[in-house]
Amino acid sequence: MIEFLTPVSKSVLAHREVLPNGVLGKNISVDGKTGELPELKNVKFALLGVKENRNDVDFIGEELCFDEIRKSLYSLYPGNWSYNIIDIGDIEKGESVQDTHFAMKTVLEELLKKEITPLLLCGSQDLAYAQYRSYDFLGNMVNIANIDSNFDLGDADQPMTNKSFVGKIIVDKPYSLFNYSNIGYQSYYNSPEEIQLMEKLFFDGYRLGEVTADIKLVEPIMRDSDMVFLDIGTIKSADLSYKNSKSPNGFDSREICAISRYAGISNRVTSFGIYELKDLSGSKSAAMLIAQIFWYFIEGFNFRVSDDDFNSETQYTIYKVPIEDEILIFKKSNKTGRWWIELPFFANVNNKLKRETLLPCTYGDYLCACDQEIPERWMKARRKNEL
């Protein structure tokens, strides 16, 4: 994969040298020489930039630079972390956008095979398609969490853009997508047709107001996701900087960092990408917020606790709730207090998962079931599983 990578810039390396001892910049292994990659042994996180933005519907020839974000991240002090981080530099624009996608997919696949979690700095969000395709070698169905004000379904029959990459993910072979969850969508940015399609496909959409009213809704979504896409346009202008966000509404800096931490805590998430980045050299506040989003993801990752050993009945408590003609089975981890709800296996239908599956949920879902309300996520997952 080294042939696709360019080293971290001399400007960032020089900045690293003057930082005080103990900060991340002094502890991160950095690819600073062409053709030489630092040792990947015992590394858990790899920071990678992808300087591609030509599929942005608003592209007017801008060049991308992630130096300011790197400088901000390097200047932060780590928590009580157990895992090593490497910065493997950037993937430059290829001869075509497809070349960049191929390079990104190849590098990510190699990292995932080594059980290294990619932390991605990316231009236009069509690159998320390459993040998704890098999981093909696993041969498993995967779940996506997209933190975005748009669904990005678009028209899959047209060339892919940063506004239609999810449509391509859905229709392109091999079919690996089981569930797509959008966190923080804003209705006025999405056509009625896209909203109807989300419902028809039984995908999960959570409106901005719904999430900001109870940020804990994000935790079970992340617990059920393999990869996370974050469009920085979902952060409101006042917090990101007006130069880099056009939306007066969106997540504030605390909310987006809390969401990032939930993604890190999830035992299932294995890649985290931040998209729609611009040259932030003139906006140090925005660069620092991006750095802190990564910091919270890594912090959450270091607090991961395995609590899904459901083969041992001593590890959880079962709650059975009769509702209509169903008996919903909830399981609560005795170690962490996290909740799951069981999806049944139907032998006489084309069941995608071919087994009983535990869907992450909240205590609130259990209380709703006790009030004879079937949790919406359970209903959608069951319907999708039967298709």
Side-chain angles (χ1 to χ4, degrees):
M1 67 178 179
I2 193 169
E3 64 270 21
F4 298 118
L5 301 173
T6 57
V8 175
S9 72
K10 293 181 179 179
S11 172
V12 174
L13 295 176
H15 174 78
R16 179 177 180 237
E17 291 301 314
V18 300
L19 292 172
N21 291 330
V23 298
L24 281 174
K26 296 294 189 180
N27 293 284
I28 295 176
S29 299
V30 177
D31 176 12
K33 296 181 179 179
T34 302
E36 295 183 21
L37 194 64
E39 177 63 50
L40 296 178
K41 188 176 181 181
N42 299 321
V43 169
K44 198 62 183 178
F45 302 99
L47 184 66
L48 171 66
V50 187
K51 297 181 176 180
E52 179 61 77
N53 58 350
R54 286 173 288 181
N55 274 352
D56 186 341
V57 294
D58 297 320
F59 177 68
I60 54 174
E62 312 98 314
E63 294 297 322
L64 298 177
C65 180
F66 305 130
D67 286 0
E68 198 64 46
I69 299 173
R70 283 189 163 96
K71 291 176 182 179
S72 297
L73 181 63
Y74 286 12
S75 70
L76 301 177
Y77 285 91
N80 185 22
W81 298 347
S82 306
Y83 301 109
N84 295 324
I85 308 170
I86 186 174
D87 187 342
I88 60 175
D90 297 320
I91 296 174
E92 301 289 340
K93 291 178 180 177
E95 287 294 321
S96 66
V97 176
Q98 290 72 25
D99 291 336
T100 311
H101 277 236
F102 175 78
M104 180 177 173
K105 174 183 179 295
T106 302
V107 173
L108 295 187
E109 185 175 307
E110 287 300 310
L111 293 173
L112 292 170
K113 285 179 178 178
K114 297 178 184 297
E115 297 186 350
I116 297 173
T117 300
L119 305 176
L120 305 173
L121 296 165
C122 298
S124 53
Q125 203 174 4
D126 60 284
L127 291 169
Y129 181 83
Q131 183 180 347
Y132 162 73
R133 279 294 166 214
S134 67
Y135 285 73
D136 286 349
F137 76 97
L138 294 172
N140 299 328
M141 303 294 286
V142 296
N143 293 343
I144 294 172
N146 184 24
I147 308 159
D148 201 331
S149 55
N150 296 83
F151 291 137
D152 295 323
L153 295 172
D155 186 350
D157 294 328
Q158 299 298 317
M160 182 167 56
T161 71
N162 60 334
K163 300 299 182 184
S164 65
F165 68 94
V166 176
K168 290 292 187 182
I169 287 174
I170 294 170
V171 303
D172 282 3
K173 296 180 180 180
Y175 303 125
S176 301
L177 180 65
F178 180 71
N179 191 46
Y180 168 67
S181 298
N182 177 283
I183 300 170
Y185 82 91
Q186 299 177 46
S187 297
Y188 35 73
Y189 290 144
N190 297 277
S191 68
E193 291 78 16
E194 284 192 310
I195 295 174
Q196 291 172 8
L197 183 57
M198 285 285 291
E199 295 174 353
K200 182 179 179 180
L201 295 172
F202 305 112
F203 288 154
D204 298 321
Y206 299 87
R207 294 184 65 172
L208 175 66
E210 183 182 5
V211 179
T212 57
D214 185 6
I215 202 72
K216 294 189 296 296
L217 288 174
V218 174
E219 189 277 327
I221 305 169
M222 293 301 182
R223 198 169 2 129
D224 198 37
S225 300
D226 296 280
M227 66 198 81
V228 178
F229 311 150
L230 169 57
D231 182 340
I232 64 165
T234 195
I235 304 171
K236 63 182 179 182
S237 303
D239 283 49
L240 185 65
S241 81
Y242 292 97
K243 178 181 177 181
N244 299 290
S245 175
K246 298 181 290 186
S247 179
N249 287 307
F251 292 114
D252 64 29
S253 56
R254 291 184 179 181
E255 291 162 347
I256 203 66
C257 286
I259 291 171
S260 176
R261 191 173 189 274
Y262 279 132
I265 290 174
S266 166
N267 291 318
R268 186 166 174 174
V269 171
T270 50
S271 66
F272 184 83
I274 300 181
Y275 292 88
E276 298 298 327
L277 293 172
K278 312 294 183 184
D279 182 356
L280 300 180
S281 57
S283 181
K284 293 187 177 183
S285 175
M288 180 56 75
L289 177 55
I290 302 303
Q292 291 179 7
I293 290 171
F294 276 137
W295 190 97
Y296 275 100
F297 177 82
I298 300 170
E299 171 83 353
F301 195 103
N302 278 268
F303 282 96
R304 288 187 174 187
V305 177
S306 178
D307 61 353
D308 53 1
D309 182 13
F310 293 102
N311 293 320
S312 173
E313 293 187 3
T314 63
Q315 301 297 315
Y316 58 88
T317 304
I318 295 178
Y319 299 84
K320 296 184 178 180
V321 182
I323 178 170
E324 297 181 3
D325 58 347
E326 303 279 354
I327 296 180
L328 302 188
I329 300 176
F330 290 86
K331 294 185 178 182
K332 177 186 176 183
S333 168
N334 294 333
K335 184 189 297 184
T336 65
R338 291 192 285 206
W339 288 76
W340 283 262
I341 184 172
E342 191 172 280
L343 285 172
F345 165 60
F346 299 96
N348 60 333
V349 298
N350 184 23
N351 184 281
K352 286 187 177 181
L353 300 181
K354 304 302 180 186
R355 57 182 171 83
E356 290 185 346
T357 303
L358 292 170
L359 180 71
C361 66
T362 65
Y363 175 58
D365 290 323
Y366 167 70
L367 293 179
C368 287
C370 291
D371 289 335
Q372 299 298 291
E373 295 180 22
I374 296 179
E376 185 177 357
R377 286 188 71 235
W378 181 89
M379 183 60 71
K380 286 183 176 180
R382 174 176 169 172
R383 294 289 301 277
K384 184 157 60 251
N385 201 22
E386 295 172 7
L387 290 177

